[in-house]
Amino acid sequence: MAVISVFDIGGSKIASSTVFMAASGRLPSDGVSSIPTPVEDYAALLRTIVGNVPSEAEAAGVSIAGLVNPKAGVVRAANIPCLAGRPFREDLERETGKPVFLINDANAFGLAEASLGAGADHSSVFAVILGTGVGGAVVVDGHLLQGAGMLAGEWGHGPASAMRTGRPLPRWRCGCGQTGCIDVYGGARGLERLHLEFTGRRSCSFEILRDWEAGDAGALETLDIYLDIVGGALAGIVNLIDPSILVAGGGLAGNDKLLRALEQEMRARILTPDQAPSLVAASLPGNSALLGAALFASGELSKR
């Protein structure tokens, strides 16, 4: 049984646990703790991680929101500025004396759901993050597809369009530096900005969805455009990689009606609508990124 110390680092908090990787695939844990993320102090961030790695751990798996290069051991995370240009994995390995494996949080989520959650009975899984922004991961036969540039699954950073509704989209700049990425329209903040743009009303994403379900005219207009953008983008994903299921996580994925509407939009726009994969909500508990980090670290450790 491998003992893996796992972390999920976000812009406000770090979740940590110790996961025991049994040969049966069961993943008992000693519970999850949460501590604030020192986003501006790199030395404090290292101390926080190192101080929570128990001596019996064979390795550490670290899930983090941002652009992760597991081979180089570096991270670009806009909400954790102290990581910029730092050899994060190298420093953690030096301080802990243990191998450390970094993974993007969307990849960790996708690996967990494909191995233990809603995608466990499927050979090809596309994980869809519908949170503050959008993200994703590709898992084939239980293996995470990362790609030459570690960018596989980053569907949020292609150009957005609304071809069915024919609505010209505002030219919003994305955090990646490009203009008009799917990410700036497809997440919760994007939905809110679209609603303000097209109705003049400032509402949070949950209020917009509530009004949409109640038949409010403004919310119906906003969601029609949103579904055009996001459902169309998902159709492109399905045509490109042909997954057998799409598993959605993040705050917006908690709305079942939205998922059904996105699936319908996607199904109508793929090449084989009669063979369309289902779009389903994630089935694992909220700390799936920790499980994904454990699975990733355990798999990489076994290769050594």
Side-chain angles (χ1 to χ4, degrees), residues 74-270:
V74 296
V75 179
R76 269 175 39 199
N79 58 354
I80 311 174
C82 71
L83 285 172
R86 302 283 193 168
F88 190 41
R89 185 189 63 206
E90 180 182 321
D91 289 343
L92 285 175
E93 288 186 335
R94 183 187 66 251
E95 295 295 327
T96 62
K98 305 175 189 295
V100 174
F101 303 97
L102 305 179
I103 182 172
N104 167 267
D105 60 343
N107 284 341
F109 163 78
L111 190 57
E113 282 292 336
S115 302
L116 303 166
D121 295 328
H122 293 263
S123 61
S124 55
V125 178
F126 186 71
V128 180
I129 303 295
L130 297 172
T132 302
V134 303
V138 184
V139 183
V140 179
D141 294 330
H143 299 287
L144 182 68
L145 177 64
Q146 298 189 82
M150 309 297 166
L151 297 175
E154 289 288 357
W155 66 291
H157 295 286
S161 68
M163 296 303 295
R164 174 178 57 76
T165 56
R167 298 297 293 268
L169 298 179
R171 293 176 53 80
W172 292 331
R173 191 167 179 81
C174 180
C176 73
Q178 301 295 321
T179 298
C181 288
I182 297 160
D183 186 68
V184 299
Y185 310 98
R189 301 295 84 79
L191 177 61
E192 291 163 1
R193 293 178 72 184
L194 286 170
H195 196 56
L196 180 61
E197 177 77 16
F198 291 108
T199 71
R201 289 155 49 186
R202 192 182 300 275
S203 304
C204 78
S205 59
F206 297 109
E207 291 170 339
I208 297 166
L209 291 174
R210 180 201 63 202
D211 292 345
W212 172 60
E213 292 184 274
D216 174 80
L220 288 169
E221 179 185 11
T222 298
L223 264 295
D224 195 33
I225 299 165
Y226 176 88
L227 292 169
D228 190 1
I229 297 168
V230 179
L234 290 176
I237 294 290
V238 172
N239 285 337
L240 181 65
I241 66 174
D242 196 20
S244 56
I245 193 170
L246 290 84
V247 181
L252 294 180
N255 187 294
D256 185 66
K257 181 178 178 180
L258 180 63
L259 291 189
R260 299 287 69 76
L262 281 170
E263 182 182 287
Q264 183 178 352
E265 182 84 32
M266 175 192 75
R267 183 182 296 270
R269 298 170 71 168
I270 65 173

